[in-house]
Amino acid sequence: MQFYLRLTNDIDAFQIFHDFDTAGFDELASWTEYYRCLTVARTGFCATLVMDDFGRETVLGIFSTIPVYTGIGRFVSFLTKESKKYLLSATPQLHQLLHQMIVHYDLHRVEADVCVEFPKYIKWATKFGFVSQGTINKYSPKGKDFIRMAYVV
């Protein structure tokens, strides 16, 4: 089994939507996330994480960094339910992608928001080098709390 990254296309975005981990989102918000996912895929530096298990490809997620201000970006990811099993194994490829995005956009700070109901993703972000900046209360459409995390170069 190996992991690789490829440039994201509309098919990847559609596939992610159908297996999107929708905890904390109602149906309308899920559609909003899908269109947000498409927008991210079509604009800017966006990559799809794929697991190749002896010729059987499985899309695990889409990752991008969107510049917000000069030197500051937002790390955005759309993950499938399947990604929970393999995300830690793919950390080296994603870490390399993050650094490519930092260089591409000339960033000194990258932020990400992680739902508190996903401790595995918080742990993963920490392994990635992100540090907790505090809790954002009622930040999702269903009022879920998130943790703001930052990677400072």
Side-chain angles (χ1 to χ4, degrees):
M1 175 176 13
Q2 64 180 2
F3 302 93
Y4 67 92
L5 293 160
R6 66 175 178 224
L7 290 178
T8 300
N9 57 43
D10 288 358
I11 294 169
D12 292 339
F14 187 72
Q15 186 174 351
I16 289 289
F17 173 69
H18 279 286
D19 197 25
F20 184 59
D21 200 339
T22 56
F25 297 96
D26 56 26
E27 188 175 342
L28 178 61
S30 294
W31 276 104
T32 303
E33 286 299 302
Y34 169 64
Y35 285 110
R36 185 170 157 231
C37 183
L38 269 180
T39 302
V40 167
R42 291 177 179 167
T43 59
F45 196 153
C46 192
T48 300
L49 176 65
V50 180
M51 177 182 66
D52 185 351
D53 192 11
F54 302 105
R56 182 179 161 266
E57 287 187 346
T58 304
V59 172
L60 299 178
I62 294 175
F63 302 85
S64 184
T65 297
I66 302 168
V68 179
Y69 306 109
T70 302
I72 300 173
R74 302 274 305 146
F75 187 72
V76 180
S77 64
F78 298 91
L79 303 170
T80 64
K81 293 172 187 161
E82 188 81 5
S83 71
K84 288 180 185 175
K85 296 181 217 169
Y86 303 105
L87 207 50
L88 288 175
S89 301
T91 298
Q93 291 86 347
L94 294 171
H95 203 263
Q96 181 182 10
L97 175 66
L98 176 64
H99 282 284
Q100 289 172 346
M101 292 175 176
I102 287 169
V103 169
H104 179 78
Y105 291 119
D106 192 24
L107 303 174
H108 59 262
R109 179 185 176 90
V110 179
E111 297 177 341
D113 299 326
V114 184
C115 184
V116 296
E117 292 183 0
F118 296 127
K120 197 170 201 172
Y121 295 151
I122 295 168
K123 179 181 176 184
W124 174 69
T126 303
K127 282 189 177 277
F128 229 81
F130 282 81
V131 177
S132 174
Q133 301 282 294
T135 303
I136 308 169
N137 296 319
K138 297 187 177 186
Y139 194 63
S140 77
K142 283 197 172 179
K144 304 290 182 183
D145 294 343
F146 278 69
I147 293 179
R148 168 76 37 97
M149 304 197 74
Y151 182 93
V152 180
V153 179

